[in-house]
Amino acid sequence: MRDPIGEVPPGYVVHRVADVWLILDRNETPDLMRLRLADPAVRKTLFARGPRRGRGTTPSVALRHDLRVVLRRYRHGGLLGWLTGSLYVGTSRAAEELSVTAAAEALDAPVPHALCVVLWPVFGPFWSAMIGTREEPNASELLGVLHSLKDVKARRILIAEVADAVRRLHDAGVDHRDLQLRNLLVVPNSGGRRIVAVDLDKAVFHGSGGLSSSVRANNLGRLHRSAVKNGLAGSRIGPRELAIFASAYTRGDRELRAELRGWTRRERIKLALHQLRYRFSSSLTQPADSPLRPA
């Protein structure tokens, strides 16, 4: 079989087991090989018992006592997701996420460390794949943290930290394209906490400093709409919180702030359409006494 992988990022090696291709962190290769991820029966067992997140399950597997890997199977979303499922033409989706993640990490962007990618042919040009990233101990989705954090001052401090992390992601040249509250993790550590952006399967790497203001505005607008969709707008994230986020993100850069303000009208139209759609769907699906049902 012709090599479907091509060039891999520095620090990774390629192994082939039967018709399965594995791209592995060079330093963790022995432990990763012991997981037997090339075996379809092993993969099936792991994903059958993993917790559900997003479009599928994400099992966590121990490599050593101090290191765990979170596995995520690639699956299509949207209207045709039920039809195409986990089938992709070629191997580019997984290879590109690995490339983007490795490049972003090299520039100290707040992304997880990719430990492995596993790819296997299904039939004809169709492949399936999964990626494994280093588990962030005790991490929580930003969405849940914002919902549970009652103290206004503490919440505003967290929002400023999130803005700083997103700015670092953008300055590294990463266009996330699915920047939402569920794809940002709050990770406690000895020095306080970190914010980590995950699920980079749609991300595009532009190179350090190569992200335009329009792309930044797209990402930030997506994040704001995520807050609206999840019932945080107004109750947890109001005008003051948005101002704090903008200030922390722009870091006093008046030129950047002016450029982003230039895209505000477009993003407001998107937000208005999003709110209209969300309110309509909520009125149909939420019970009468639900806090998410519009008055």
Side-chain angles (χ1 to χ4, degrees):
M1 182 186 295
R2 182 177 62 85
D3 182 355
I5 305 300
E7 187 176 355
V8 300
Y12 292 87
V13 295
V14 177
H15 285 260
R16 181 181 172 186
V17 180
D19 61 350
V20 180
W21 297 80
L22 303 98
I23 309 175
L24 308 175
D25 180 316
R26 185 187 303 275
N27 295 328
E28 308 296 343
T29 293
D31 289 328
L32 288 166
M33 291 297 291
R34 279 192 285 271
L35 292 182
R36 298 173 53 221
L37 296 176
D39 186 335
V42 171
R43 296 195 300 267
K44 183 177 180 180
T45 300
L46 287 173
F47 281 89
R49 69 188 187 201
R52 187 163 187 84
R53 182 179 182 273
R55 291 190 290 271
T57 57
T58 53
S60 170
V61 186
L63 285 187
R64 300 188 302 270
H65 74 281
D66 62 339
L67 178 62
R68 299 184 68 88
V69 55
V70 177
L71 302 172
R72 172 168 52 85
R73 180 89 177 264
Y74 286 90
R75 301 191 70 87
H76 290 280
L79 296 176
L80 296 179
W82 64 273
L83 178 64
T84 51
S86 58
L87 298 179
Y88 288 81
V89 177
T91 61
S92 60
R93 184 71 170 264
E96 286 172 6
E97 180 172 3
L98 176 64
S99 177
V100 170
T101 303
E105 185 182 20
L107 292 171
D108 199 31
V111 297
H113 175 66
L115 289 163
C116 64
V117 167
V118 184
L119 311 104
W120 59 97
V122 181
F123 63 87
F126 294 102
W127 287 69
S128 283
M130 67 180 182
I131 188 169
T133 55
R134 182 173 56 206
E135 182 176 82
E136 300 288 354
N138 303 312
S140 301
E141 289 181 351
L142 176 60
L143 174 61
V145 176
L146 287 174
H147 269 301
S148 62
L149 196 57
K150 307 298 183 184
D151 183 82
V152 174
K153 182 177 179 180
R155 190 164 62 245
R156 289 174 176 175
I157 291 173
L158 174 60
I159 286 171
E161 292 173 3
V162 171
D164 179 72
V166 174
R167 174 66 188 269
R168 290 196 292 118
L169 184 74
H170 286 171
D171 284 354
V174 179
D175 173 9
H176 193 288
R177 296 196 173 184
D178 192 20
L179 193 64
Q180 55 172 303
L181 298 176
R182 293 186 184 277
N183 287 341
L184 291 170
L185 301 182
V186 181
V187 184
N189 59 26
S190 57
R193 63 190 172 202
R194 296 181 296 117
I195 309 299
V196 179
V198 298
D199 288 7
L200 299 168
D201 57 306
K202 296 180 181 178
V204 175
F205 183 69
H206 293 261
S208 181
L211 218 58
S212 68
S213 58
S214 64
V215 172
R216 292 172 186 259
N218 271 329
N219 276 214
L220 297 178
R222 177 86 169 87
L223 186 59
H224 189 193
R225 293 193 297 276
S226 173
V228 172
K229 177 181 177 181
N230 289 284
L232 287 167
S235 61
R236 291 286 190 273
I237 301 177
R240 178 58 178 157
E241 284 72 26
L242 292 176
I244 289 171
F245 185 99
S247 178
Y249 181 86
T250 56
R251 300 174 184 170
D253 186 336
R254 295 184 178 180
E255 182 178 351
L256 176 60
R257 193 171 189 121
E259 289 176 355
L260 291 176
R261 191 177 292 121
W263 296 100
T264 299
R265 183 176 180 182
R266 183 192 64 176
E267 292 303 322
R268 282 179 178 172
I269 293 172
K270 286 184 182 180
L271 179 60
L273 293 173
H274 182 80
Q275 287 175 313
L276 181 63
R277 183 179 65 179
Y278 177 63
R279 288 190 178 188
F280 176 74
S281 61
S282 294
S283 66
L284 295 178
T285 60
Q286 299 294 336
D289 58 349
S290 169
L292 298 182
R293 185 183 178 100

